[in-house]
Structures are given as C-alpha cells and as structure tokens.
C-alpha cells in the first residue's frame, strides 16, 4: 500500500495517528451500543435478551462473511471517497435504528451494519500500522485497535447509564451516530483524493460463496442462541435451521475447493499453529463468557444500581490496558508465545477459582477488586498474541484466509459461549431450586419460624394477615432462588477454572505452540 501522499502535507504524523484511531472506533460503537445495556435495549425494542444476543451475532457474523469480499470494494474506489461513503452510511444506519421498533427490520439493519463494519477496518488499520515508524508497527497498531474493542463495553456502558439517567434511549443512538459523521469530516479535510491501491474491477465477485457462508453463519448462530429457549432438537424450527446451516457450509466448502481462485483458501488448515490458535481462541471466548454471570449477580443478587455496575467495569478495563501493554512488551522482546499464553490463561484460572468464593449474598467492592483486575489483565495479555499467533503462521498469500479463521474463532467462541452459559445456568438453577425447595415444608420447624418472622414483619407494615402470609412465602422462595443462583455460578466458575488448568497443561506440552511468526517477513494484513 502506497500511502505516502494519501494525507495532506500539513497534517502532522501524530494527528494522523489520532484521526485513524478515532476512525476505528466505529466498530466499538456498533458492537457496544446495544450490548452495553441489554435490559434497556431489549425493552426499547420489546424483545427478549436472546433476541438481542442474536442481533449481535447477526452483526458480527455478517462482518465475518464480508471479509471474504471486502478487498474488492476497497481496491476499486479511491480511499477518501470510499471511507467517506461508508462512514456516512454507518452514521445513517445507527441513527435510523432509533426509529425502528420492528425486530425483523432491526435484524436487516444489523446485517447492513455488519457489512459496513467490515468495509473500512482493514484499510484504516493498514494506514494506522504504517504510521508507526518502528519495526514493531504491527504490534502497536493491533494493540490500539483491539484494545478499543475490549474497552468498548465498559466505555459505552458508562455513557449509556448517564444518558439513560438524563435522556431517552434514542439520544444514546443519536450521539453514537455522530461519531461516524465526525469521521467523515476528519477524512474530508485530511485525506487526498487519489487511490492507494491498484484498481480492481468489481465484476466476478464471488457472491455465491458470500451468500452461502453468510446463510450458514446466521442459521448456525440462531440455533445456538435459541437452543435452550426452544429445547434444542425438540424444536422443528431449530432442526431445520441446523440442517440449512450444515448444507450451506458444505456447499461453500465444496465450491471453494473446486474453483481455481477461491475466496477462502482451505490450505490454511494445513498449518498446525493456525488450527491450534483457532482452538485457543474458541476456548478463550468461552471462558470470557462467564463474566456475564458476575454482572448478573451484581444486578439480581447484590442489587447494585446500573451506574455502580458500569463503574466496576472500568476496573476490568483497567486490567485490560495493563494486559495489552504487557503483551506488547513481551512481543517486542520476542518472548515465546507459549509463555504468554500460559501467563494469560493462568490469570483467567485464578480469577475463576477466586471468584467462586465471592458468590455470596452480599459483598463489598474491595472484595472483588483484585480478581476483577486479574481477569482484565489475563484477557488483555492473550488477545493480541492469539491474533498474531493464529494469523501470521501462514504464507502472505493466505493472510486474508488466516484472518478469517481468527475472526471465526472469536465469533463462534462468543456465540457458543453464550449458549453454554445459558444452558448451564438454566439446568443448574432448576436443579438447586428443586433441591432447596424440598426443605421448605409445613412440617419444618425452621420454615415455620421463618414464615412467622416474615409474616409479622409484613403485618407490622400494614398488610392483612392473608397478604402478609403470601408475601412471606414469596420472600422465602426468592431467597431460595438467590441461593440457587449463587450456587450455580459457583459451580460454573469452578468447572471453568479446572477446564483452564487442563488447557494450560495442554499448552505446556503442545509442540506446535512456539514463537513461529516473524512479523517483518509476513507483513501481516499489509501485503
């Protein structure tokens, strides 16, 4: 990429870096504006949390599919016009979502946003990496970009909480839509209008492969997101969608293997490091999914208000920053990736074992401070090394295909992680609730004493004896439900902790986990 004169001569290098970094933040907005506060977003659209999770999968799954054909568009148009048009459409789509209440229309908009999210990223990221006049440009550029993605949820959640306390939900979307418009203005005044890549005509785009893989991704994601709610294979709808997902995936594989110039090169799977990296990414995202149980406990058990939960996430974000800085330092010092992975997954294991003792009826913020920071450090320490390990162990001509594998690992890890946590919570909560309920009987002295105590309390507040008795029973059942939730979370965290220990042993003895990438020979994503 020749970008020596893409920026106007009066723009200093430090300003270019800031502008390009700001332009990358559209991904943070598109991914974080709805996930930052699921309850408010779901209530605004009058949908269930599973529906919102699927909507997020639609965006990220569409991004994954669009990477197949993104380069055809970015190589056809001059960078300035291309980026200005894409960011204008992103701003319009975000603001338009403020006026959409129909879920089907909202999903179509999320497909569009997934496409728009994919189109500018590689171009902007390439430009950003080449602005760092250092042999470690790729490490620095990736740390900036993926750091922004990691911090998107706590950053936007805090903004969302403030907006929801003072304004309507729509104003959150209005402000979110202003950032891409700011990008358009910055590009307009700092970019030159010439092209930076060789023009490639738009004909012969492999639309068939694109629609096959997109269909497979979205139907597969629907199956996993709604599996627990629709009772897995008891639902004919889920069975049909799973069949469609498998058939379209098979047709995509057959087509790519049978053409001379495939959109996705399956030769990447010959490289053991890529296969190992995909597995690690998948397991990494499943282990990250447990963090939602912490936030759910803060709301439902500890009764923390949204502003406090939002503030707590900054603690985790602080750990992310520490981890990203440490990862960049280790990579620059050529520390073998095996040791980085062992450190990162060990911190995640410590977090899970530590936090399993913190699922109690009440807790102080100081009690969770250290494990919450450790989790953030572990995630930040693993993220960029996992990406570089997975994608840079293959030849340059397969860079895009290896990048797709990395994104696929993150997508399916987060989607299946949501499914695993949802099913584990539902099964264990029901099991523990039924077990605890067996001890709440009319013959139990403890139950009678507790009922009498609660009933007297409600009578003292002015309730009639019958209403007070009903409220006392509800309070006991609520207490059982909370105890079931705490025990469930404790068991899940303990199981994940042991799973991470097994993974660490696997990393220690795996012969393919070695420092196998040379960033300056592979020219990852730039070539």
């Amino acid at each position: 990429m020749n970008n020596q004169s893409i920026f106007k001569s009066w723009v200093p290098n430090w300003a270019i870096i800031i502008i390009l970094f700001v332009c990358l933040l559209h991904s943070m907005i598109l991914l974080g504006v709805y996930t930052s506060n699921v309850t408010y977003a779901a209530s605004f659209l009058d949908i269930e949390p599973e529906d919102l999770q699927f909507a997020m999968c639609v965006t990220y799954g569409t991004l994954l599919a669009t990477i197949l054909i993104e380069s055809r568009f970015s190589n056809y148009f001059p960078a300035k016009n291309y980026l200005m048009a894409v960011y204008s459409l992103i701003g319009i789509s975000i603001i338009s979502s403020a006026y959409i209440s129909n879920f089907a229309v909202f999903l179509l908009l999320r497909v569009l946003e997934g496409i728009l999210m994919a189109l500018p990223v590689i171009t902007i990221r390439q430009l950003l990496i080449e602005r760092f006049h250092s042999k470690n440009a790729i490490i620095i550029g990736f740390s900036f970009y993926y750091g922004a993605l990691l911090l998107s949820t706590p950053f936007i959640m805090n903004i969302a909480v403030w907006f929801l306390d003072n304004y309507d939900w729509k104003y959150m979307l209005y402000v979110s839509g202003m950032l891409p418009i700011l990008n358009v203005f910055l590009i307009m005044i700092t970019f030159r209008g010439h092209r930076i890549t060789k023009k490639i005509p738009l004909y012969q785009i492999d639309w068939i492969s694109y629609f096959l893989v997109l269909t497979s991704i979205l139907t597969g994601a629907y199956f996993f997101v709604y599996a627990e709610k629709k009772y897995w294979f008891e639902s004919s709808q889920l069975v049909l969608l799973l069949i469609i997902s498998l058939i379209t995936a098979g047709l995509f594989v057959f087509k790519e293997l049978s053409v001379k110039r495939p959109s996705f090169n399956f030769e990447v799977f010959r490289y053991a490091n890529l296969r190992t990296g995909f597995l690690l990414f998948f397991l990494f995202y499943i282990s990250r999914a447990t963090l939602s149980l912490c936030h759910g406990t803060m709301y439902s058990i500890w009764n923390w208000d949204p502003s406090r939960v939002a503030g707590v996430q900054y603690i985790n974000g602080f750990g992310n920053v520490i981890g990203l800085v440490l990862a960049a330092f280790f990579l620059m010092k050529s520390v073998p990736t095996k040791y980085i992975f062992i450190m990162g997954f060990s911190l995640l294991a410590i977090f899970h074992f530590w936090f399993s003792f913190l699922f109690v009826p009440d807790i102080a913020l100081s009690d969770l401070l250290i494990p919450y920071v450790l989790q953030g450090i572990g995630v930040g320490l693993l993220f960029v090394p996992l990406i570089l390990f997975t994608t840079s162990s293959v030849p340059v001509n397969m860079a895009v295909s290896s990048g797709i594998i990395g994104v696929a690992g993150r997508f399916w890890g987060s989607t299946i992680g949501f499914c695993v946590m949802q099913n584990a919570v539902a099964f264990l909560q029901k099991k523990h609730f039924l077990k605890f309920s067996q001890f709440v009987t009319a013959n139990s002295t403890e139950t009678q004493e507790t009922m009498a105590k609660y009933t007297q309390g409600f009578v003292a507040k002015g309730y009639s004896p019958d209403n007070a008795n009903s409220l006392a029973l509800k309070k006991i059942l609520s207490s059982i439900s909370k105890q079931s939730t705490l025990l469930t979370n404790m068991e899940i965290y303990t199981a994940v902790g042991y799973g991470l220990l097994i993974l660490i042993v696997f990393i220690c003895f795996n012969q393919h986990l070695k420092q196998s990438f040379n960033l300056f020979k592979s020219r990852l994503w730039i070539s």
Side-chain angles (χ1 to χ4, degrees):
M1 177 179 289
N2 176 21
N3 69 327
Q4 293 180 353
S5 59
I6 186 64
F7 301 98
K8 295 180 179 179
S9 58
W10 59 268
V11 187
N13 189 61
W14 62 266
I16 293 172
I17 292 174
I18 293 175
I19 290 169
L20 292 174
F21 181 71
V22 170
C23 288
L24 283 174
L25 295 181
H26 77 286
S27 300
M28 183 174 74
I29 297 296
L30 288 173
L31 289 178
V33 70
Y34 286 97
T35 56
S36 59
N37 199 310
V38 174
T39 303
Y40 281 106
S43 62
F44 174 73
L45 294 165
D46 193 23
I47 57 177
E48 298 294 326
E50 294 87 356
D51 299 327
L52 192 60
Q53 177 65 30
F54 178 65
M56 301 305 104
C57 291
V58 166
T59 301
Y60 207 76
T62 306
L63 175 145
L64 172 59
T66 305
I67 296 175
L68 283 172
I69 59 175
E70 179 278 334
S71 62
R72 299 298 302 274
F73 295 97
S74 60
N75 289 333
Y76 181 77
F77 299 101
K80 180 177 182 178
N81 297 340
Y82 173 73
L83 293 172
M84 287 178 62
V86 171
Y87 283 122
S88 297
L89 291 173
I90 291 173
I92 293 171
S93 68
I94 294 175
I95 295 173
S96 299
S97 64
Y99 298 94
I100 293 175
S101 56
N102 183 279
F103 184 59
V105 178
F106 177 71
L107 287 180
L108 292 176
L109 188 63
R110 296 303 290 182
V111 171
L112 174 63
E113 289 176 345
I115 295 172
L116 295 173
M117 182 177 167
L119 293 180
V121 169
I122 295 178
T123 299
I124 293 293
R125 194 168 62 187
Q126 289 171 342
L127 292 172
L128 176 63
I129 289 173
E130 294 192 355
R131 300 317 298 179
F132 294 100
H133 304 299
S134 165
K135 64 180 182 179
N136 298 311
I138 293 177
I139 297 172
I140 297 172
F142 273 46
S143 297
F144 269 99
Y145 174 62
Y146 290 106
L149 290 183
L150 284 177
L151 296 173
S152 62
T153 298
F155 177 74
I156 296 180
M157 183 175 182
N158 279 270
I159 296 176
V161 167
W162 183 84
F163 264 96
L164 294 170
D165 285 342
N166 297 276
Y167 301 98
D168 186 78
W169 169 260
K170 290 184 178 180
Y171 289 95
M172 177 68 187
L173 299 174
Y174 296 156
V175 175
S176 299
M178 290 297 106
L179 179 60
I181 304 303
L182 173 63
N183 293 349
V184 173
F185 174 75
L186 293 174
I187 293 170
M188 181 174 62
I189 64 174
T190 60
F191 276 55
R192 295 182 185 274
H194 73 281
R195 69 174 54 253
I196 55 179
T197 57
K198 181 180 178 181
K199 184 176 181 179
I200 300 177
L202 281 179
Y203 61 84
Q204 294 183 342
I205 295 177
D206 194 356
W207 291 111
I208 296 177
S209 293
Y210 175 74
F211 286 114
L212 283 175
V213 75
L214 180 61
T215 302
S216 179
I217 290 170
L218 297 187
T219 52
Y222 188 95
F223 174 83
F224 285 109
V225 170
Y226 290 97
E228 191 277 329
K229 186 175 183 178
K230 295 180 181 288
Y231 303 105
W232 289 86
F233 298 102
E234 293 183 20
S235 168
S236 58
Q237 181 189 41
L238 288 186
V239 172
L240 175 62
L241 289 175
L242 180 61
I243 292 172
I244 292 173
S245 179
L246 295 175
I247 290 175
T248 50
L251 291 174
F252 171 75
V253 173
F254 176 78
K255 184 179 184 304
E256 294 302 292
L257 292 176
S258 61
V259 297
K260 186 177 181 181
R261 295 180 179 177
S263 300
F264 179 84
N265 193 338
F266 279 91
E267 291 292 313
V268 295
F269 288 109
R270 293 172 49 196
Y271 298 89
N273 281 7
L274 182 133
R275 298 194 303 269
T276 303
F278 175 82
L279 176 63
L280 290 177
F281 245 131
F282 183 79
L283 297 175
F284 166 68
Y285 262 83
I286 289 181
S287 67
R288 281 193 68 198
T290 59
L291 199 61
S292 63
L293 302 182
C294 292
H295 301 152
T297 302
M298 293 175 189
Y299 285 116
S300 61
I301 306 298
W302 301 334
N303 297 319
W304 290 4
D305 59 83
S307 60
R308 190 179 188 189
V309 177
V312 168
Q313 292 197 39
Y314 271 135
I315 300 172
N316 188 251
F318 175 69
N320 290 153
V321 173
I322 295 175
L324 288 164
V325 173
L326 288 175
F329 174 79
F330 291 147
L331 290 172
M332 291 177 186
K333 295 298 180 181
S334 299
V335 175
T337 49
K338 172 182 284 191
Y339 300 144
I340 299 176
F341 293 162
I342 290 173
M343 287 186 286
F345 283 112
S346 295
L347 288 175
L348 292 181
I350 292 171
F351 160 74
H352 282 88
F353 285 126
W354 191 328
F355 220 94
S356 65
F357 293 100
L358 299 180
F359 287 113
V360 293
D362 197 13
I363 195 173
L365 180 59
S366 58
D367 294 328
L368 58 80
L369 189 64
I370 296 177
Y372 225 56
V373 171
L374 290 179
Q375 198 273 353
I377 295 174
V379 170
L381 196 60
L382 288 168
F383 208 85
V384 173
L386 271 173
I387 293 168
L388 294 177
F389 176 83
T390 304
T391 58
S392 61
S393 59
V394 300
V396 174
N397 63 324
M398 299 182 187
V400 173
S401 296
S402 64
I404 290 173
I405 293 299
V407 177
R410 300 199 294 276
F411 172 77
W412 288 114
S414 59
T415 302
I416 296 178
F418 172 84
C419 177
V420 169
M421 292 303 129
Q422 187 184 46
N423 281 270
V425 168
F427 172 78
L428 291 174
Q429 278 189 344
K430 182 179 179 180
K431 171 187 172 183
H432 295 315
F433 185 85
L434 292 175
K435 186 176 181 180
F436 287 143
S437 298
Q438 294 175 1
F439 298 97
V440 182
T441 63
N443 298 326
S444 170
T445 304
E446 184 178 352
T447 301
Q448 293 175 358
E449 292 176 353
T450 304
M451 278 287 293
K453 177 183 174 183
Y454 288 159
T455 301
Q456 290 175 4
F458 285 116
V459 168
K461 294 179 181 179
Y463 291 94
S464 65
D466 289 340
N467 289 337
N469 190 66
S470 299
L471 291 171
L473 181 59
K474 288 182 180 180
K475 189 171 182 178
I476 290 175
L477 294 176
S478 175
S479 178
I480 293 175
S481 178
K482 289 183 178 181
Q483 291 295 332
S484 301
T485 299
L486 291 172
L487 185 56
T488 294
N489 293 348
M490 187 184 302
E491 291 182 346
I492 291 174
Y493 266 63
T494 303
V496 172
Y498 281 118
L500 288 169
L501 288 182
I502 296 172
L503 178 60
I504 292 166
V505 174
F506 164 78
I507 293 172
C508 291
F509 289 98
N510 189 282
Q511 296 300 314
H512 298 296
L513 278 166
K514 54 187 177 180
Q515 190 179 22
S516 59
F517 58 85
N518 186 321
L519 301 179
F520 321 116
K521 289 182 180 179
S522 67
R523 300 293 293 167
L524 181 66
W525 287 108
I526 295 178
S527 301

